[in-house]
Amino acid sequence: MARRPFVAGNWKMYKGPVEADALAMALKRALVDVGNVDVAVAPPMVSIAAVAARLRHSGVALAGQNLHPAAEGAFTGETSGEHLKAAGCAYVLIGHSERRTLFGEDDALVAQKVSAAMRAGLLPILCVGETLAERDAGQEVAVVTRQLEVALRGMPADQAAGVTVAYEPVWAIGTGRSASPAQAQEMHATVRAFLHARFPAFVGAQVRIQYGGSVKPGNAAALLSQPDIDGALVGGASLDADDFFAIIRAAAGR
Ligand code: 13P
């Protein structure tokens, strides 16, 4: 079954409301005639409203970068899935390596956030990936399998089919050193095999697996030509409308 490519831009902590609006405007102009690719952007929380207003009816979806597991409560500084949904988000990134390494998120918390996203009616983009030390120790398959195992444990198959998995090797994020297409394909095949082992066949056939880590216009086509690479989660290059558009075009030509 052909999976529709899915390209998402993670703006991280760049682009306050004014700059975010300008980038959204540029994207809207560039994206007028992109067919057959799902596109989403994840602006900083404070910029979501501005981007949502700008991208209304554009076909570009919105994603949160994180969420708190509770629906609401006395959690100063946090944002719930319900609130992201009300602000116009369809997706939410969960377990990004920067959350895991800089903010101490472990697999158990990631699992709670995945459940919370489902409760709120958001589609999770579940980020997994090994560090350089873990790869050097030959543990990449074990690490990614554990991350998936804990995050998706007990999930009904129909919900699992709506998850996007983003394989982002930590050593490739923001370093300019992307995984090679063959390295990425090998790990994507591992993710696909995990899904086939744990869920009915339609789940593994449907789930889109994005690659993330120094995706640029120059390497996107080679990465996206791999059979199990269904899209990209783009950091730095998503902050430039032309670069992001070039990556989306590469996905469209896949
Ligand atoms: P870069 O594309 O800047 O390497 O970032 C990747 C990433 O972390 C996307 O979530």
Side-chain angles (χ1 to χ4, degrees):
M1 193 199 72
R3 288 173 292 272
R4 192 175 153 91
F6 180 23
V7 175
N10 175 9
W11 295 0
K12 307 194 179 185
M13 201 174 77
Y14 296 99
K15 308 287 177 189
V18 174
E19 299 162 290
D21 181 55
L23 177 54
M25 206 172 354
L27 276 181
K28 193 170 173 171
R29 220 176 287 129
L31 289 175
V32 178
D33 53 353
V34 170
N36 93 334
V37 181
D38 288 338
V39 178
V41 294
M45 300 287 188
V46 290
S47 302
I48 286 176
V51 176
R54 183 62 68 187
L55 293 181
R56 193 162 294 140
H57 307 307
S58 69
V60 179
L62 276 171
Q65 296 181 11
N66 181 33
L67 80 172
H68 187 277
E72 62 179 6
F75 301 109
T76 302
E78 293 292 309
T79 304
S80 74
E82 279 75 2
H83 293 170
L84 288 173
K85 178 87 180 174
C89 292
Y91 298 93
V92 62
L93 305 183
I94 300 178
H96 191 279
S97 72
E98 287 148 20
R99 301 293 323 165
R100 293 179 191 260
T101 58
L102 304 175
F103 301 98
E105 292 194 10
D106 60 11
D107 291 325
L109 181 56
V110 168
Q112 284 182 40
K113 291 185 174 193
V114 170
S115 302
M118 293 298 184
R119 183 195 64 224
L122 293 169
L123 295 170
I125 300 176
L126 171 65
C127 304
V128 299
E130 79 287 357
T131 64
L132 186 57
E134 288 162 344
R135 177 162 281 260
D136 286 345
Q139 293 170 347
E140 63 274 21
V141 169
V143 167
V144 167
T145 302
R146 186 204 71 224
Q147 290 172 336
L148 291 168
E149 184 81 61
V150 180
L152 301 179
R153 189 175 289 153
M155 184 180 286
D158 59 331
Q159 287 191 358
V163 172
T164 297
V165 175
Y167 169 63
E168 299 204 301
V170 180
W171 47 271
I173 295 178
T175 59
R177 177 188 162 195
S178 159
S180 69
Q183 276 174 325
Q185 166 56 29
E186 195 180 337
M187 292 303 290
H188 282 231
T190 298
V191 173
R192 186 91 55 208
F194 170 90
L195 295 169
H196 278 302
R198 294 299 187 286
F199 293 101
F202 75 92
V203 176
Q206 245 172 268
V207 166
R208 291 179 295 188
I209 309 174
Q210 295 175 324
Y211 168 78
S214 298
V215 177
K216 306 289 176 202
N219 62 16
L223 287 160
L224 287 159
S225 69
Q226 299 296 313
D228 288 299
I229 301 186
D230 306 310
L233 182 53
V234 185
S238 74
L239 299 174
D240 180 290
D242 292 337
D243 283 358
F244 191 52
F245 186 51
I247 293 166
I248 292 164
R249 264 203 315 267
R254 179 176 178 268

